[in-house]
Amino acid sequence: MTLTLRVLGLDDEAVVADIAVDPDKAAYAGGPIGDIFKQLRASQPRQTPFALADGDRVVGFIVAREKAALPVWAEAGCMTLNNLRIDTRLQGRGYGKAAICLAAQWISRERPDVTHVMSSVNVANLAAFHLNLACGLTPMGRIFDGRIGPQRLMIAPVERVCGDQPGSTSTRSL
């Protein structure tokens, strides 16, 4: 498995448009990919969308937010990881963990002043909660009322989340 995390431009929606998402869980990942890109284009700069690829096949998507683009619940000095989606046909193969780890490696390399990463996980989304735990994020003991209900806030030092991820950490645009 040769995994790469590649920075996407705001017009690269088609690169990740074919990622299959369980309709019952799409809201947890931010809704339809078109809505996410519409929000990315309309909002503050400092949001970096990524495609996770295994070889030539795009298998996932994640967004890192910083500074003016941070959610209201984020701590100062952090970046947040948002909108993670892994193709439902490929789940259970470590791609979610790889996306989070490679995003943290990108943050460590490209934003050395950032000390922590955060995420919010819907309390009903136990799979995402356990994924975040496996990646080194820990619950802060705070619940935030998000757009689709209560969200657990999770945090970790960037270096803890970087882990020992084999493979490439390329950030070249597709």
Side-chain angles (χ1 to χ4, degrees):
M1 175 174 3
T2 302
L3 299 178
T4 55
L5 190 69
R6 300 176 183 159
V7 174
L8 296 175
L10 297 181
D11 295 323
D12 288 337
E13 177 182 334
V15 172
V16 293
D18 291 334
I19 295 172
V21 178
D22 181 336
D24 294 334
K25 297 181 181 174
Y28 295 146
I33 199 73
D35 291 354
I36 294 170
F37 272 85
K38 185 184 295 182
Q39 184 270 329
L40 287 169
R41 287 187 289 270
S43 66
Q44 295 284 343
R46 309 307 290 192
Q47 297 186 83
T48 306
F50 299 97
L52 177 68
D54 186 351
D56 292 334
R57 183 177 190 183
V58 174
V59 298
F61 174 78
I62 193 168
V63 176
R65 293 189 170 111
E66 62 185 311
K67 299 185 180 181
L70 284 172
V72 296
W73 47 261
E75 302 279 326
C78 288
M79 284 185 74
T80 62
L81 299 177
N82 310 85
N83 306 109
L84 175 65
R85 59 181 64 215
I86 301 300
D87 193 303
T88 56
R89 300 164 291 199
L90 302 170
Q91 290 179 357
R93 300 180 188 187
Y95 291 131
K97 191 171 183 178
I100 291 171
C101 179
L102 290 172
Q105 289 177 9
W106 182 90
I107 291 167
S108 178
R109 192 174 54 255
E110 301 296 326
R111 306 290 191 266
D113 58 321
V114 173
T115 60
H116 288 75
V117 294
M118 292 183 70
S119 69
S120 71
V121 179
N122 189 284
V123 297
N125 191 352
L126 294 179
F129 176 71
H130 290 292
L131 171 62
N132 277 264
L133 285 175
C135 291
L137 285 98
T138 57
M140 297 176 68
R142 292 178 25 211
I143 301 290
F144 175 77
D145 189 27
R147 68 177 174 74
I148 60 167
Q151 307 281 317
R152 282 188 185 98
L153 299 182
M154 301 182 78
I155 192 168
V158 173
E159 294 307 319
R160 181 190 312 155
V161 181
C162 285
D164 296 319
Q165 178 64 40
S168 170
T169 56
S170 170
T171 56
R172 290 176 287 115
S173 183
L174 289 174

